[in-house]
Amino acid sequence: ICIVLVCSHALAHTDPIRRGIETAAAWPTSGPAAYGLVTVLAGLASLVTGALGLVVGALAAQAIARKGSERGLRLHFPLLVASGYGGFLIWHMGYSGTAPLAVATPGHTLESVMGILPVTETTYTLWNLGLAGFTLAAVALVCSRMSPPDAEIIELTEDAASSLERADLGGGGSAVAALKTQAETPADRLDESRVLSAVLGLLFLVFIGHWLATRGFQLTLDLVNWSFLGLGLVLARSPRHYMALIADASRTLGPIILQYPLYAAVVALITQTELVDLFSDGFVALSSAETLGFWAFVSGGALNFFVPSGGGQWAVQGPIFLEAARELGVRDAVVVMGVAYGDQWTNMIQPFWALPMLAIVGLSARSIMGYCFVIFLTAFLCLGGGMLWLGAG
């Protein structure tokens, strides 16, 4: 999971991604279009990986604010950032969703209970992808309608934009600047050669393509990690540049790594005592076959305040809801995605994942939380309604 975060963060800072954001930033001709576009760009990137969505959302908010100012558009910068964070809402429904990938990976912790559940039964179903598209469209529409009165608009000033650009140092942070050297020896020239990193990246991508062509669409966490690593190497300027991007991204991992021993303790407490039966019996009593997925969604949202990690949440909730699913005759895919939807839902009012994004744009959590609360309510209607519809079907 840490490799997913690091490689996708590095991918987001490669030159082609940044140029694509700059190109798209010139499209909006009105405030509502600008807010909606930030949401869509961040949402599409989040369907690839959540970390990519966060970085793309932050960079898109900056670029659109700057381009809008050049054309005379008055854009509320905190709402642009909140719109980008709103796009992150659907990350667990896409390519790097950790709960669906975890149960699709051989050797996962609950394999003895549920076996291997391929992503073709979770992420890559029409109902999941359709709900992701519907939710993203609803959030984009809501964000486009939340602009404050002109007197309350806070624009991105030229000084602030220049300061943020200097802080980012061209896409790699301080690590890129620290690793820039003159290519004086053959080894230095290899480190600065784009050919070397591109060839290595292509080898990864060719292997993944061969795997999928010969074995079918059997995604695992390993394959997802290799795909981000390969694509990042292909798009980086050189091995040295990619190494700098990885080093810069790795600075964000400390708080995340520290949580996992605590998750392991919670999992052991649940699975090695009678708590799993106690909680499972409680949800069986509360739910029906039609509503168990909805309650998995609600409880996943509540647990996200204490375990802000999709993989960690599934590790804690999986044993409980799989037991309840067995009692009520509910498909495993329903509870897996219910927990996944709950995790992404309350991210809108639990700012743990907003912090890296806010650090990029130089805002405080308070400046965007009011808008994020409206997105949170919108997401409840979309995702909660989707789980009830799925259970009824």
Side-chain angles (χ1 to χ4, degrees):
I1 291 171
C2 290
I3 293 174
V4 169
L5 295 172
V6 169
C7 289
S8 54
H9 187 285
L11 176 63
H13 280 93
T14 56
D15 296 336
I17 298 294
R18 295 169 67 86
R19 284 196 296 269
I21 292 171
E22 289 291 331
T23 299
W27 295 345
T29 57
S30 66
Y35 304 126
L37 179 62
V38 174
T39 305
V40 171
L41 290 176
L44 294 177
S46 295
L47 285 176
V48 179
T49 167
L52 180 66
L54 288 172
V55 177
V56 166
L59 298 180
Q62 290 176 216
I64 289 175
R66 190 172 60 251
K67 296 280 187 181
S69 178
E70 292 171 0
R71 293 200 304 271
L73 288 179
R74 296 202 66 212
L75 299 175
H76 190 50
F77 189 57
L79 178 53
L80 284 172
V81 175
S83 299
Y85 192 53
F88 175 66
L89 174 71
I90 60 172
W91 82 271
H92 219 146
M93 305 166 87
Y95 182 64
S96 69
T98 49
L101 282 173
V103 298
T105 302
H108 69 86
T109 55
L110 296 172
E111 185 175 358
S112 61
V113 178
M114 62 183 299
I116 302 297
L117 186 65
V119 291
T120 51
E121 296 182 25
T122 53
T123 303
Y124 297 97
T125 54
L126 286 177
W127 53 265
N128 177 66
L129 295 176
L131 184 57
F134 176 79
T135 303
L136 180 61
V139 171
L141 178 62
V142 167
C143 289
S144 72
R145 302 301 175 193
M146 287 198 290
S147 182
D150 284 349
E152 299 178 16
I153 286 179
I154 301 173
E155 296 183 87
L156 178 65
T157 64
E158 289 187 16
D159 290 343
S162 299
S163 176
L164 291 172
E165 187 65 25
R166 286 195 301 272
D168 194 51
L169 291 173
S174 57
V176 169
L179 287 176
K180 283 184 177 178
T181 61
Q182 291 294 325
E184 298 177 351
T185 68
D188 289 333
R189 286 191 287 273
L190 279 176
D191 281 345
E192 298 292 349
S193 169
R194 184 161 206 159
V195 173
L196 189 62
S197 57
V199 168
L200 181 58
L202 285 172
L203 286 174
F204 277 105
L205 298 179
V206 168
F207 168 76
I208 294 167
H210 179 265
W211 172 286
L212 296 177
T214 56
R215 305 196 189 195
F217 201 67
Q218 297 180 21
L219 279 183
T220 66
L221 277 170
D222 291 332
L223 284 176
V224 168
N225 282 335
W226 292 338
S227 65
F228 292 143
L229 177 58
L231 192 56
L233 284 166
V234 168
L235 297 182
R237 302 171 201 161
S238 65
R240 185 183 296 275
H241 179 234
Y242 190 68
M243 184 172 149
L245 294 176
I246 291 293
D248 196 61
S250 298
R251 294 182 304 164
T252 65
L253 285 185
I256 297 169
I257 292 175
L258 184 62
Q259 295 174 48
Y260 277 86
L262 304 179
Y263 301 160
V266 174
V267 171
L269 181 66
I270 291 175
T271 59
Q272 297 179 26
T273 67
E274 296 181 358
L275 282 177
V276 66
D277 293 327
L278 180 65
F279 288 141
S280 175
D281 291 344
F283 278 109
V284 168
L286 180 67
S287 310
S288 64
E290 291 76 23
T291 61
L292 182 64
F294 174 79
W295 289 114
F297 161 71
V298 172
S299 65
L303 184 63
N304 189 44
F305 287 100
F306 308 99
V307 183
S309 159
Q313 278 189 252
W314 173 250
V316 173
Q317 291 183 276
I320 298 168
F321 279 96
L322 287 176
E323 182 70 21
R326 296 294 181 276
E327 292 283 336
L328 294 172
V330 176
R331 289 178 294 145
D332 292 342
V334 173
V335 294
V336 170
M337 297 312 291
V339 171
Y341 293 175
D343 162 67
Q344 61 188 12
W345 168 47
T346 50
N347 279 335
M348 293 300 102
I349 55 173
Q350 203 282 62
F352 178 82
W353 292 110
L355 296 179
M357 186 179 188
L358 293 169
I360 294 173
V361 298
L363 292 179
S364 66
R366 177 182 298 180
S367 63
I368 70 169
M369 279 297 113
Y371 302 114
C372 289
F373 184 75
V374 177
I375 297 171
F376 163 79
L377 296 178
T378 304
F380 175 76
L381 296 176
C382 296
L383 298 174
M387 290 310 302
L388 289 172
W389 170 81
L390 181 61

